[in-house]
Amino acid sequence: MTSASIPASPSPWTTPHPSPPPTYSPPLSFPPPDDLVPTVTRLHDIYSSVDLPHQTARWHALVARFKALYDRPMTFVARSPGRVNLIGEHIDYSWFPVLPMATVHDVLVAVCVLPQNDPATDDRIILSNVSSSKYPTRVFNTHDFQDPFFEISTSGTDVDWSAYFLAGLKGALMFSKLCATETTPLPTMRVLVDGDIPPCAGLSASSAFVCSSLLAVLAATTSSMIEKSFLVNSSVISERVLGVNSGGMDQAASVFGVRDHALLVDFRPLVSAKPVRVLDTVPPLCFVLANSLVVAANRAETGPDTYNVRVVEAVLAAEILARKYTVGRLEIRDGFGGTLRGFYDRVCEQEGWTMGDRESEERAVREVVRRVQETFDRDQYSLDEVAEKLGQKTEDMVRKYMTRFPIMAKYLNLRDRSIHVIEESFRVKCFSSLLASSTHHLRTLSGSESRPYFDALGALMNASQASCANLFDCSCPEVDELTQIARRYGAAGSRITGTGWGGCTVSLVRADKVADVIDGLKKEYYAVRYPELSGSQLEQAVFAIRPGNGTVLAKIEAV
Ligand code: NG1
């Protein structure tokens, strides 16, 4: 899982400027999204007119199934979408901003709370799924959750689907207790889940499920409105009980999602998301998603030598750099360790650099990368060598950083991971700045004039993919191939999205090229590698995708 040498990664600052060059100004002028998780009463409030016919049929089926299963109507639905990360991979847990969007695909947790005086009240929570053959019904007793710190069994590699619901339930109970909010005891509940996010594809199906479960239990136990940032933070912590050292991007994208907008998600000083509109170019700017059908890294099975190792590499690199350049103690992320963002910000402070323009950012990125290379002169270090750089005994370092989440690694690559993180963070700034500027400049341009903008955005995505493949080592041959095919058929840029080692690619495509790109992917990837796929399976594997709305509590009067 380590790369042998520093590859010639496309440097983020040599991206060609479109003409006329956009001014570098992070899109900070957008109004902040509303603070509270909205309660909606119409499907129109969730889905666009394009998606309404399909979603209406789906919700009809959910209502009917609920009634048939539990002989009573559902009272509310907690709905959270998946997410596609446009750029900014594996940098959220280093506290750098990322640019995801919420998907229209989502997880619906439909609930009926039985009142105490209902003859059917029996202290049980019955949890069913519309895909009942794949996800069998589970029954729990509310008394088992009197202590909110109850254990969720995640032993072995086979995590039951219900564990994600229980993680949300545990989060809701824990946070209600810690925040001493006005809650009622856990009531008898009937629950039916319907998710249409492809699992293990890097689209955050699990985070969407945890978010909607947590919201469902909160809605069943409190009448208070729920703050979006509270839901994000508590979902992140809840998912950790499943062995995921989660960064926070997925939950933020899911909760803060805004239709037709990407989200510039920042984690400091508090988690926040600034919507950046993405559809106002001429021709319109589209995204095509392609699932490699290689299962993305999964925390329970492969996390110990993929995701969890990357988190530790990023933390140790930050701590060692902070020590070497005596920038002072870094702010600790989640009781774990310092972050590369912390180190970067401290260097800027120490040097007295004021940020805000492209040149200053570029200079800071160059300088921090130089320090990384000076500190780590090769790609692999043994644990003993890392501990020595950290000034700790190996066993102390292992105990502190490598036991909280399962890790399997004898060698760590602190150099390439850090360079990826620092350069990727700069690409996020450039990409979001370009997107924001496109809304002001592009509406009036003709198709050919907008091409440099597409090319500039695409070049950043391609540079991100090269860095994920070569420096962060989180791509795989199938994903690399998908990105190459997409570019050959007209995508301006293409990259992996999500945790990686499989999963999906996202490609930036002009609207008039979308059909070509999808056809090219079908012909050159799916027909060759997966000739047995049915038409509908293919439609689910490769499709155009638009940004959708975020988490809502739905009390739909008539579907
Ligand atoms: P997915 O693709 O959902 O497993 C994971 C992390 C993100 C982020 C990305 C990589 C969780 C729940 N999600 O996403 O926070 O770090 O990888 O950019 O841990």
Side-chain angles (χ1 to χ4, degrees), residues 83 89-90 92-93 202 204 207 239 244 246-250 299 307 498-499:
R83 69 97 189 87
E89 219 58 81
H90 287 279
D92 57 346
Y93 48 84
S204 301
S207 297
E239 212 168 321
V244 180
S246 185
M249 165 174 70
D250 303 348
R299 267 4 95 56
Y307 192 89
T499 196

Side-chain angles (χ1 to χ4, degrees), residues 134-165:
K134 204 163 158 199
Y135 305 116
T137 294
R138 304 289 181 219
V139 180
F140 304 101
N141 193 306
T142 54
H143 297 297
D144 293 339
F145 306 128
Q146 267 167 357
D147 174 3
F149 298 93
F150 66 89
E151 285 285 313
I152 300 175
S153 159
T154 54
S155 57
T157 56
D158 200 14
V159 177
D160 188 66
W161 76 280
S162 63
Y164 296 92
F165 175 81

Side-chain angles (χ1 to χ4, degrees), residues 25-235:
S25 55
L28 301 180
S29 52
F30 291 94
D34 297 332
D35 290 345
L36 300 175
V37 174
T39 299
V40 301
T41 52
R42 301 170 318 155
L43 290 185
H44 281 81
D45 300 328
I46 309 175
Y47 305 108
S48 72
S49 52
V50 181
D51 300 304
L52 262 183
H54 162 72
Q55 291 295 344
T56 306
R58 175 178 171 226
W59 280 64
H60 263 301
L62 182 70
V63 168
R65 183 80 175 266
F66 197 100
K67 183 84 175 51
L69 202 59
Y70 297 129
D71 194 26
R72 56 189 62 238
M74 61 197 203
T75 36
F76 64 82
V77 176
R79 179 262 175 195
S80 281
R83 69 97 189 87
V84 173
N85 190 19
L86 298 180
I87 196 158
E89 219 58 81
H90 287 279
I91 65 173
D92 57 346
Y93 48 84
S94 290
W95 267 344
F96 278 112
V98 291
L99 196 82
M101 66 191 210
T103 62
V104 176
H105 301 86
D106 54 23
V107 176
L108 308 176
V109 176
V111 177
C112 175
V113 176
L114 276 65
Q116 275 305 327
N117 58 3
D118 189 305
T121 292
D122 56 7
D123 298 329
R124 287 186 306 163
I125 295 176
I126 306 181
L127 175 71
S128 297
N129 196 299
V130 292
S131 303
S132 52
S133 52
K134 204 163 158 199
Y135 305 116
T137 294
R138 304 289 181 219
V139 180
F140 304 101
N141 193 306
T142 54
H143 297 297
D144 293 339
F145 306 128
Q146 267 167 357
D147 174 3
F149 298 93
F150 66 89
E151 285 285 313
I152 300 175
S153 159
T154 54
S155 57
T157 56
D158 200 14
V159 177
D160 188 66
W161 76 280
S162 63
Y164 296 92
F165 175 81
L166 293 181
L169 185 143
K170 179 170 174 147
L173 299 181
M174 249 163 40
F175 285 96
S176 303
K177 187 164 176 119
L178 292 178
C179 304
T181 50
E182 285 292 312
T183 52
T184 55
L186 196 57
T188 298
M189 288 164 76
R190 302 293 179 253
V191 184
L192 179 60
V193 177
D194 181 15
D196 65 0
I197 306 171
C200 302
L203 298 184
S204 301
S206 52
S207 297
F209 190 12
V210 173
C211 277
S212 44
S213 302
L214 202 151
L215 177 62
V217 176
L218 282 177
T221 52
T222 176
S223 55
S224 315
M225 294 294 283
I226 292 140
E227 273 184 32
K228 288 180 180 174
S229 53
F230 173 83
L231 184 58
V232 172
N233 289 330
S234 43
S235 301

Side-chain angles (χ1 to χ4, degrees), residues 412-469:
L412 299 174
N413 181 343
L414 307 187
R415 182 191 64 189
D416 295 355
R417 311 311 181 219
S418 308
I419 296 175
H420 165 82
V421 170
I422 302 296
E423 293 186 347
E424 182 80 349
S425 73
F426 186 56
R427 285 187 282 269
V428 170
K429 286 172 187 154
C430 296
F431 196 95
S432 52
S433 174
L434 272 170
L435 267 191
S437 67
S438 77
T439 59
H440 304 305
H441 300 300
L442 280 189
R443 243 177 287 206
T444 53
L445 295 181
S446 74
S448 62
E449 284 170 307
S450 62
R451 186 168 170 167
Y453 282 92
F454 283 94
D455 289 348
L457 289 168
L460 289 163
M461 290 177 78
N462 294 339
S464 167
Q465 171 60 22
S467 183
C468 284

Side-chain angles (χ1 to χ4, degrees), residues 489-546:
Y489 280 83
S494 187
R495 59 180 295 281
I496 197 164
T497 182
T499 196
W501 293 277
C504 284
T505 59
V506 59
S507 303
L508 174 76
V509 187
R510 296 156 46 123
D512 53 339
K513 298 260 187 204
V514 166
D516 290 353
V517 170
I518 292 180
D519 287 350
L521 289 165
K522 284 183 181 168
K523 195 167 76 194
E524 293 203 19
Y525 185 81
Y526 296 100
V528 176
R529 286 184 183 260
Y530 298 97
E532 71 286 359
L533 287 189
S534 68
S536 67
Q537 285 171 321
L538 258 182
E539 300 310 310
Q540 284 182 23
V542 55
F543 49 88
I545 192 157
R546 294 175 312 283

